[in-house]
Amino acid sequence: MQTIDIFEFARRRQTLSGTISVADMPQLSAFLADTTGEIRWFAEGLGERRGRPAARLEIEGEVAMPCAFCNGPVPTEVYSDAVFLVVKTEAEADAIPVDEDEEDEEVTVGSNRFSIAAWVEEEAILSLPATTSHDEGCEGTEVFEEKRAEEEAAEERAREERPNPFAALAGLKTGR
């Protein structure tokens, strides 16, 4: 697993790139239907921003997430391009004020043995959609739609069969 001194990497404005197999990212794989594919990444040091070392990480690739209806694999694009302010401790990260003008910056705790694979894996996980489904031809979608239509029809029948509570009041009315 490749590690770098992220502080020196940022300061020297270095660049690195590569690919990581999805099979080599167990935390990402836990969200997927299978472990096929790879994530391509490009990292560059940006010198300093707001007085702190900064680096940019861009990732892209395609993974197979499970369909929300049938659990089959759905090809899903993974993409992120983010700038990171690098700090030495969690306390230092917590002390950075949220600056409305710099919404495109994230904060990460760095080290002189910073794992690029872990950085890429974390960004890949954060870029995944909450759920995916097949656009067409998913048996699970058809079953779901049929079940939802049946439930809606049953609710409508129940509403129609329910007596109107105001009908009894109409019988109590006396001619005024």
Side-chain angles (χ1 to χ4, degrees):
M1 184 182 309
Q2 185 176 8
T3 61
I4 59 172
D5 180 332
I6 191 72
F7 302 103
E8 284 298 306
F9 179 80
R11 186 181 64 76
R12 292 183 179 178
R13 298 177 183 268
Q14 295 173 318
T15 62
L16 289 170
S17 62
T19 59
I20 302 175
S21 171
V22 170
D24 292 333
M25 294 186 267
Q27 292 176 336
L28 173 62
S29 297
F31 293 93
L32 306 178
D34 62 46
T35 59
T36 60
E38 62 185 20
I39 305 296
R40 292 171 301 286
W41 58 271
F42 172 78
E44 74 177 311
L46 301 175
E48 282 192 3
R49 286 201 177 172
R50 296 201 279 159
R52 292 188 170 71
R56 176 179 156 252
L57 176 65
E58 181 178 7
I59 62 166
E60 66 178 354
E62 189 174 281
V63 296
M65 288 188 67
C67 174
F69 300 107
C70 73
N71 232 15
V74 177
T76 306
E77 182 180 332
V78 172
Y79 180 79
S80 176
D81 188 356
V83 172
F84 294 84
L85 298 180
V86 185
V87 296
K88 292 181 180 178
T89 66
E90 288 289 335
E92 189 178 350
D94 292 341
I96 294 176
V98 177
D99 187 351
E100 298 294 329
D101 298 332
E102 306 296 336
E103 290 180 4
D104 64 330
E105 294 176 344
E106 299 183 36
V107 177
T108 192
V109 176
S111 72
N112 60 359
R113 296 188 44 81
F114 191 75
S115 169
I116 291 177
W119 193 21
V120 169
E121 183 173 27
E122 183 176 329
E123 280 305 295
I125 291 168
L126 292 172
S127 74
L128 294 175
T131 62
T132 57
S133 62
H134 293 104
D135 292 333
E136 295 178 17
C138 177
E139 291 177 21
T141 305
E142 293 168 11
V143 169
F144 176 78
E145 293 296 331
E146 288 172 11
K147 185 173 181 176
R148 186 169 65 182
E150 289 172 8
E151 289 172 354
E152 288 173 357
E155 288 174 10
E156 182 62 31
R157 282 192 304 275
R159 275 193 296 274
E160 290 172 358
E161 294 171 0
R162 205 175 315 148
N164 184 341
F166 297 104
L169 291 176
L172 296 175
K173 271 187 167 181
T174 57
R176 289 188 184 173

